[in-house]
Structure formats: C-alpha cells, structure tokens
Amino acid sequence: MDEDGAIGNVDATPGDTLTAAPVDDSLTTAADDTTTPAAEATVDGSPHQDEQTEQDATQADAQDSTAQMPVPTRNIRDLFIPPRNIAAIRQRLFDVAEKIELRKEEFDLYWPYVDNVWVRQHRAGSDKTGLCKTDYYACRLQRPTYTPKAVDKPRTDGTPTRKKQIREGGKCHMKLKVVRYEGGYHSVTINQLGDKTQHLHDLDHMDKIKRTTVLMEIARSEVMRGYMPASVYTVMSEDEPRLAASGGRHLNRNDVRNASQVWRQQHKDPLRVHEGYKYDHGNGIVRENGALPLVQRVINAEVVDPTLAYYAGLPPNTLRFPEELRPFLEPYLPRHDMAFTDDGLPHVTLTYATSLDSSLSLAPGIQTVLSGPHSKAMTHYLRSKHDAIIVGVRTALADDPALNCRVEGVGGYGGLGWEGQPRPVIIDPGARWLLTPQTRVIRTVSEGKGKGPWIIIAPGFAMDPNRIEMLKYYGGKYLGLTDFDKRWRLRWEAIL
C-alpha cells in the first residue's frame, strides 16, 4: 500500500466530456456615441463661456469613453513567456478531433488564442439543475461572404467610417458544442457537433485573415504604456517562433495601430520607443548597439535559476518519473488499442508496497507510509496509464487517500484538464464511507487535480438523498451491484 492507499488500477475505455465558457469576440471598444445636451444660457450670454462649456463637455465625453474601454488582461510577458505547449494546444482546439475537457481557468486562458477561429452562434441555456450551460460555436468561415458597400453612411458623431474589406466566408461547416459545468468543480467540455468533419483550411489560414484577442490585447497594453505602435510591433516580432506559436505569424504594424486606435484618439501625449531601441530614419525602429532584445530581458528577469524553470507553475508535490526508466514498464502497461482482454475483462495492474518483513501496515486500519520517492513516482506513472484506480473501503477509511495521479504531465500537474487522471473507484458494499467536502478525494476534485469517485455498494441500503446529491455535485456517483459469489461477496467480474 502506498501513501494514497491504492491497491489496484483498472484500465477501461475513457469516456468523459468537457465544457467551455463564452468568450467576447470583440477586440476593441468604440468610443461612447452619446450626445451632450446644449449648455444652458448664461447671464451675460458670453460666446467665450459657451465655447468653454463645449470644451468641457467634449473632455467629459472622452473621459466616459476611456472609462468604458476594456483594460487589457495580457501584456508583453504573455508573448515572451507563453503557456506551456501553446502551439500544440492551439492546434488541438482548432482540430477538436476528439472530446476535450478543460478546467474553467484553462478554458479562459487558452480560448482567446483560438477565438479568431471560433465564433459563438447562440447560447442554449442551462439544464434543470442550473449547473450546466451550453454554447454553440461555428468556424468563422462558415459565415456568408461579406462584400462592403461602395459608400458607407457617415457616422452621426462625425468620426471617420471604418474601411472594410471583402470578408471570406461560406467555406467551412465545422461546429462545436461547448458545455460548462459549475458544481463542486468547474469544467468546460468541447465536442464536435453533428457528423465528424474537418476544417477545409488550416490554422495558419485563420491566423492570416484574423488576429487573436491575445495578440491584440498585448499590442494595446504596450501602447497604453506609452510606446509607439511601430516600436510595439518591432519588439513583438523580434522572436518569430514565439510570435508564431501564439498565432502571430502574419501580425503587421497596422494590427498594432488598429488595436490601440481608440486609446490613441483619446490620449494625445507623445509616444516613445522601448528602452534599448531607437528610431533609424529609413529603417524604422531598430535595437541600439549592445542592447539586449526585450524578449531576452523579460525572460532573464523572470527566470532566476534555469534549473528550476522546467518546474515553474507546477504544484509543489508534482512527481517526475524519468524517461529512461519508462521502457522497463512498457510490457506491463495496458494496450489502448485493445481495451479488453480475450475474456472480456479490462487489463488490471496490482500495485502495493510492503515492508522488508512483507507487512502492509503496522496494524489493521493504521496508515503506514512505506513507499519511497522513486517507487511513489513509478506508482503514479502507472496510474497515468490506467483509466481507474480501485481501493477497498478499509483503505479509504484508514488513509483518506486522494486517489489521483501526481506525475508531471497529467491534468492538474502540467497537463490539460483531467487527462491522465484515473477514476477513483471505492468498493464499499455497506456504504460505510461518509464523504464530506473535507474528504481528501473530494478536495482533490475541487482543486481540479482528480476525478469524482465512483462508489460501488450492495443493494438494500436506504441511502440518504443528500449523500447521493453531494457525490453527484462533485462528479461522482454510487453504483449498486447485485452480482454476488457463493460467500455473498460482490464478484470481481461484475466490479470490473
């Protein structure tokens, strides 16, 4: 028995879903189109006083527009130190070849990197419980081709009309169903809607015709710090691989100007170039001799010890199983191309820890730590290769185990959603295990580092409805089995 009290893992075919939260498709907010009522007549009727009143009203309008402008939530650091594997994650959220389940904070982080691809069509609403909310998205190129009018009507506030171009459309019919669950844990499930289809274009094509919210917010935040759009474009494009990973391979100076246009119209203060750069006539903004690129300065200021950079952002109890040791275990791992054995049962791996005298614990019911750091890392790596982990109720009562996987790379420990996390299964025929929100396995679910447990019980118990609803709230459930052996014990064949 290891620290978490796991006595066995069960492999079966996974079948979970994931959910998504709505994201605003707009990149900038236009100035407030309100009109100022005429100033009241003064006693002396001085034209200078009327003129001053109009100036005050104009300044007030500008202040109101500034207050309504969304504040960027990202800055240049998010470009130079992006989320891990952002290019691969963008590709997955573009393809959606299979169901993707994310934690809500992951969806909020990653979706703005692909909102140039997906456009929300409508919201279906909530289910009866109010915990699930559904949105429907479609590829941006599903919309009809748009051809701008030859002459647009002038705006009532006198500002220049936006120059519009022909918008490509009617070429792709891929759609998504995005479900958000906000219960004992918050998840976002993304799945293709209808028949499995593929985009009729690649991700780079979408990056070419539309910029992501992330890039536009980064550009706007730098201009709002007082830097010239040309200087912002220069520092953003210095590290082309990082820019391309975030979808900015086709970013240009006009994009930076467009992202900051509203702010620049309201703020007439002179803008400057970034420190370490200068304006070179004929060459634009260039780096000064001997100056480090801004990207390098940001990275140097962020990472103090390069040896610790690999673990940045991971929980402190993350385990790492060395790559060179994994081939030894491969022959003993379940084959996912064959979910069940020839007799119809799933692949089962028994794991346990014993002392030198072959004891499992000091005494029955006493939690005893036996696993060392290396064997613990191996055990958690085994868990990541299975779909479920089974323990008995005695282990659950004695150890209060988390029954999750903490190896680096699984969901909650550097991976997406709950990928690599096994489903906890507790054999509790007499329904003795009383779960509360403080139970360790439930706390693990709330933290987004494990799945809700399935508890196997025997029939005939008058279960408290509150216990059933509480477990369901955290993504778990009770399973009643009636298949017994000759000694009136639940049969393993039925459990598996």
Side-chain angles (χ1 to χ4, degrees):
M1 185 188 306
D2 66 9
E3 181 184 62
D4 287 339
I7 62 172
N9 298 336
V10 178
D11 175 69
T13 303
D16 294 342
T17 320
L18 50 120
T19 349
V23 176
D24 187 1
D25 193 51
S26 60
L27 299 179
T28 58
T29 301
D32 187 14
D33 292 335
T34 57
T35 57
T36 305
E40 295 181 357
T42 59
V43 176
D44 61 359
S46 169
H48 298 288
Q49 188 167 352
D50 292 340
E51 182 178 331
Q52 181 64 39
T53 303
E54 292 177 358
Q55 292 177 356
D56 294 342
T58 302
Q59 294 176 359
D61 285 345
Q63 293 175 356
D64 291 341
S65 300
T66 304
Q68 294 182 7
M69 183 187 305
V71 178
T73 58
R74 292 173 175 82
N75 53 45
I76 198 69
R77 178 194 176 280
D78 296 293
L79 177 64
F80 296 152
I81 309 178
R84 287 188 174 202
N85 304 319
I86 186 58
I89 293 173
R90 290 191 74 232
Q91 190 65 49
R92 285 190 62 182
L93 292 175
F94 173 79
D95 296 330
V96 193
E98 56 186 7
K99 181 175 57 180
I100 305 174
E101 189 170 12
L102 304 174
R103 300 190 301 275
K104 181 181 181 298
E105 57 269 24
E106 290 177 329
F107 180 83
D108 294 340
L109 172 65
Y110 296 128
W111 194 253
Y113 283 91
V114 293
D115 62 359
N116 61 329
V117 179
W118 303 108
V119 179
R120 188 171 67 189
Q121 291 186 312
H122 67 279
R123 174 174 293 172
S126 304
D127 64 355
K128 294 181 180 180
T129 66
L131 301 178
C132 291
K133 299 179 181 179
T134 304
D135 293 322
Y136 292 92
Y137 288 79
C139 177
R140 184 175 296 275
L141 294 187
Q142 185 198 41
R143 301 184 300 180
T145 301
Y146 171 79
T147 303
K149 299 178 181 178
V151 179
D152 283 337
K153 294 182 180 180
R155 295 183 177 179
T156 56
D157 59 357
T159 57
T161 58
R162 179 183 175 185
K163 295 181 180 180
K164 300 179 181 179
Q165 299 177 345
I166 295 178
R167 184 185 68 199
E168 180 182 357
K171 289 187 175 182
C172 188
H173 302 285
M174 193 167 174
K175 298 180 180 180
L176 298 180
K177 180 180 180 181
V178 178
V179 181
R180 290 182 295 158
Y181 178 76
E182 299 179 354
Y185 63 100
H186 293 181
S187 67
V188 179
T189 304
I190 308 172
N191 214 343
Q192 275 201 48
L193 187 62
D195 297 334
K196 293 292 184 180
T197 59
Q198 294 181 345
H199 289 286
L200 301 180
H201 51 85
D202 57 14
L203 180 56
D204 184 70
H205 181 69
M206 297 304 302
D207 291 341
K208 183 178 181 180
I209 65 176
K210 181 73 174 177
R211 309 294 177 258
T212 66
T213 296
V214 171
L215 293 174
M216 299 300 271
E217 281 197 343
I218 292 173
R220 186 165 68 250
S221 69
E222 283 297 289
V223 175
M224 292 175 67
R225 292 178 60 199
Y227 296 115
M228 298 170 54
S231 181
V232 174
Y233 171 75
T234 298
V235 298
M236 289 182 67
S237 58
E238 273 193 315
D239 194 324
E240 293 184 358
R242 294 178 191 269
L243 184 62
S246 297
R249 193 166 76 89
H250 303 281
L251 185 76
N252 55 55
R253 290 182 178 85
N254 286 335
D255 294 325
V256 180
R257 295 190 185 100
N258 292 338
S260 60
Q261 181 179 7
V262 174
W263 188 87
R264 288 185 290 112
Q265 288 176 347
Q266 298 166 356
H267 298 79
K268 304 300 182 182
D269 297 334
L271 301 177
R272 64 186 187 278
V273 299
H274 285 79
E275 293 75 11
Y277 295 80
K278 64 180 180 180
Y279 177 76
D280 185 15
H281 184 71
N283 295 315
I285 307 299
V286 297
R287 196 167 65 249
E288 293 178 345
N289 293 333
L292 285 175
L294 181 60
V295 56
Q296 193 61 52
R297 281 180 271 160
V298 171
I299 294 176
N300 292 346
E302 190 74 17
V303 181
V304 178
D305 186 352
T307 61
L308 300 178
Y310 183 79
Y311 297 97
L314 296 178
N317 62 344
T318 303
L319 301 172
R320 185 166 183 263
F321 189 60
E323 291 282 349
E324 59 270 17
L325 299 181
R326 299 184 182 187
F328 168 76
L329 293 175
E330 287 299 323
Y332 306 99
L333 296 177
R335 292 173 47 191
H336 285 280
D337 59 342
M338 186 178 66
F340 295 90
T341 60
D342 295 337
D343 54 6
L345 297 175
H347 181 106
V348 178
T349 301
L350 177 64
T351 64
Y352 60 93
T354 66
S355 61
L356 290 176
D357 59 356
S358 299
S359 298
L360 295 174
S361 64
L362 294 174
I366 296 180
Q367 183 181 17
T368 306
V369 178
L370 296 172
S371 299
H374 300 295
S375 62
K376 187 182 300 298
M378 182 190 72
T379 299
H380 280 257
Y381 175 73
L382 288 173
R383 292 182 184 184
S384 71
K385 299 300 181 180
H386 292 74
D387 297 313
I389 175 171
I390 297 179
V391 300
V393 64
R394 291 183 180 180
T395 298
L397 291 172
D399 295 350
D400 187 22
L403 299 178
N404 69 335
C405 175
R406 302 200 307 271
V407 73
E408 188 262 333
V410 302
Y413 296 86
L416 281 181
W418 288 264
E419 293 179 352
Q421 288 291 352
R423 173 73 63 181
V425 179
I426 296 88
I427 303 175
D428 185 13
R432 292 191 290 155
W433 195 29
L434 299 178
L435 289 170
T436 69
Q438 286 71 44
T439 304
R440 191 178 175 194
V441 68
I442 297 299
R443 294 203 318 267
T444 301
V445 173
S446 301
E447 296 168 357
K449 298 177 181 178
K451 294 181 178 180
W454 291 358
I455 303 178
I456 298 176
I457 61 175
F461 292 94
M463 288 291 296
D464 183 356
N466 292 329
R467 290 178 62 182
I468 297 176
E469 289 301 318
M470 194 276 288
L471 186 57
K472 184 178 178 181
Y473 183 72
Y474 288 98
K477 58 184 176 181
Y478 286 97
L479 300 173
L481 295 182
T482 59
D483 199 350
F484 300 94
D485 60 16
K486 295 180 180 180
R487 300 177 62 185
W488 292 101
R489 294 182 177 180
L490 293 173
R491 298 178 66 249
W492 275 107
E493 292 81 359
I495 294 173
L496 298 177

